[in-house]
Each structure stands twice: as C-alpha cells, then as structure tokens.
Amino acid sequence: MHAVTALPNPEPTVAAEQLDPRGEVLLDVRAISKSFGDRVVLQDMSMRVHAGEVVAFLGANGSGKSTTLRAVNGLIEADSGDITIAGVRLLEASAARRAEARRSAATVFQKIHLVQRRSVLHNVCAGGFARLPAWRSLPPLFGRELQAEALACLDRVGLADRAHDRAGSLSGGQQQRVAIARALCQRPRMILADEPVSALDPKAADDVMQLLHDLAADEGLGIAAVLHQPQLARAYADRIIGLRGGHLVFDAAVGEIDDALLATLYL
C-alpha cells in the first residue's frame, strides 16, 4: 500500500486512542506549515509517533524533515497547525506547560554538543538540569542522586565503564551514545533524533540505531529519527515518513515501502 496515510481532522476521542493497536500517541502533529520569507519549507504536515515505535523521516535535503522536529521541540515555531506532545496541546497550554511537554521529548542532534573537557558522567548529568534548582546546576553540585541516575543511563547505553573519562576521549559513536544517555537523564517519553548518525561510520551508525530501536522496544519510548540512509530506516524503523519539497509523500509501515516508492523522494 503506497497511499499517504491521511490523518483525521477532528480531535480523536479517548476511546479511539485506546483502540489504536500501536499504543499511546505521544506526538500528534496536525497540518503544520512553515515558511522562511518567501520560501515554504513545510506545508500541511501531519504525523504521529506512538509509544514503543521508531519512526524514520526520509527525503532529500530541504524536504522538511528537520523542520518538522524543530517545530516540535520549539527551536522554531510553526506558522500554522497544531502540535500535541504527551497529551498537551501546545496551542492551548501555558508557557510553563508547553516547556514541560517539550521536555518530555528529548532531542539528540547530529552535532553532539558534549562538553569535551568534562567527564562523561557530568555531561549526562546535564540532562537533569531542569529538575535542579539553579544553584545546583554546576557540576560539583549535581548531587549523588542525579549522578547515580546518570550512571544508570550510561549503563543503559553500554558506557558505564567510561563514566569518569573526558568526553573528548571517546569516539564519535560513543559520544553519540553519551548524548542519548544525557537525553535519557531528562526522563523523556520520546526522543527526537535529528540526523543522529550522519557523521558516523557504518558500524557506529548501526550501533546507535540499534540502541534507539531497543529503547523503543524495551522502554516504550517513542523515537522520531531524521535519516539520510534508507537502509537504516528499513532495518531499524517500524514506520517511514517520506517528504519531498515540504510535503508529505507517504506515511507507511516499513514492509509497505519498496524501492520505487523511496525513489520518488529524491526526484
């Protein structure tokens, strides 16, 4: 089936959500659009991410993949449309409630943004900043509880043994796993991964995508990942969203997508 999945315009009822076989809807994006000056980069984009699933975004440069995630995490504001995160409709929420909802969707970037001279553990502790009073947001004041939580997050990504090494001493793939541990320390319901493996070698890219897949399967997190490698999307995602020129081309399960359909994204 190669048709675009059409999302209904009315708000879904609680009963409808409970009947969805894919589980709880953690992210519901409805008809968002975004322009920069005269350039339209996203037009009427709708999509969902459910608990426990990996959704991959594919498309050529400029197709609107990263713009969609940035509208969700608040790095940009959509010109129109509606976004609901973890049950919070952002249009109706207060500024504090919007910030809380967006914290439930942690972001992992292509540029990993670790503090290279700090320890791996301290970098992961940064994911818990929002839960600390301002006076305790400096590394010496993180506290044992947060450091224990950060160490558990590092253990989840397989790097607990590197906790006290400088972040700059790790390989690129290891640093990206540290960034995922930092995201986990935020206690998110979902992870938005914006080109998380585009700077990594194939083995490291596979390791990172396997980790994201396992977090969805084992922890029930929703994962939305912008990718440039269709083979990784097919290997690790449950569903693929294809964009071209700011428009949704298809939203389908991996098994419904063939090479011909993928090729339409890059014409």
Side-chain angles (χ1 to χ4, degrees):
M1 182 184 298
H2 295 164
V4 172
T5 299
L7 296 180
N9 288 324
E11 286 294 322
T13 64
V14 173
E17 291 295 335
Q18 291 173 342
L19 291 173
D20 194 317
R22 292 174 294 182
E24 180 186 359
V25 176
L26 297 179
L27 174 64
D28 190 357
V29 173
R30 297 187 177 228
I32 65 169
S33 297
K34 181 64 181 179
S35 297
F36 294 101
D38 295 331
R39 184 169 65 95
V40 178
V41 295
L42 204 59
Q43 185 67 45
D44 292 328
M45 172 62 180
S46 296
M47 51 79 66
R48 286 176 174 170
V49 177
H50 297 77
E53 77 171 342
V54 179
V55 178
F57 291 75
L58 291 177
N61 289 335
S63 61
K65 306 182 300 298
S66 293
T67 300
T68 302
L69 293 196
R70 289 169 183 166
V72 172
N73 66 20
L75 290 179
I76 62 171
E77 291 292 335
D79 298 329
S80 59
D82 200 1
I83 299 173
T84 300
I85 304 174
V88 178
R89 190 180 179 197
L90 300 187
L91 284 177
E92 299 177 343
S94 66
R97 192 78 176 100
R98 284 197 303 272
E100 181 183 355
R102 280 175 161 146
R103 282 196 297 272
S104 73
T107 303
V108 175
F109 297 95
Q110 175 186 3
K111 291 186 177 180
I112 301 169
H113 300 301
L114 298 182
V115 181
Q116 299 291 302
R117 69 181 182 277
R118 290 287 186 187
S119 74
V120 167
L121 184 65
H122 282 170
N123 272 277
V124 176
C125 285
F129 273 174
R131 302 193 301 277
L132 294 178
W135 64 272
R136 289 189 58 193
S137 63
L138 296 174
L141 303 176
F142 281 151
R144 291 182 180 178
E145 183 177 345
L146 178 56
Q147 291 190 52
E149 182 176 350
L151 188 60
C153 292
L154 278 170
D155 186 54
R156 183 64 186 83
V157 304
L159 288 172
D161 61 329
R162 303 297 299 272
H164 300 291
D165 294 348
R166 284 190 314 105
S169 70
L170 273 58
S171 68
Q174 290 171 329
Q175 290 194 37
Q176 190 59 286
R177 283 192 280 149
V178 171
I180 293 171
R182 180 179 59 191
L184 292 176
C185 200
Q186 192 173 315
R187 300 180 184 173
R189 301 291 309 282
M190 63 179 301
I191 292 177
L192 310 175
D194 193 359
E195 301 187 31
V197 299
S198 60
L200 304 182
D201 63 61
K203 175 61 168 63
D206 275 317
D207 289 345
V208 168
M209 290 307 302
Q210 183 66 59
L211 173 59
L212 292 174
H213 177 275
D214 292 347
L215 289 172
D218 300 339
E219 314 295 338
L221 298 182
I223 307 292
V226 171
L227 299 173
H228 282 294
Q229 303 94 331
Q231 74 277 10
L232 291 179
R234 282 176 154 168
Y236 297 106
D238 301 295
R239 190 156 49 87
I240 296 176
I241 290 174
L243 293 126
R244 184 178 66 237
H247 294 271
L248 179 67
V249 177
F250 61 81
D251 179 348
V254 169
E256 298 175 337
I257 299 169
D258 58 22
D259 290 341
L261 186 57
L262 281 176
T264 65
L265 302 179
Y266 305 98
L267 296 175

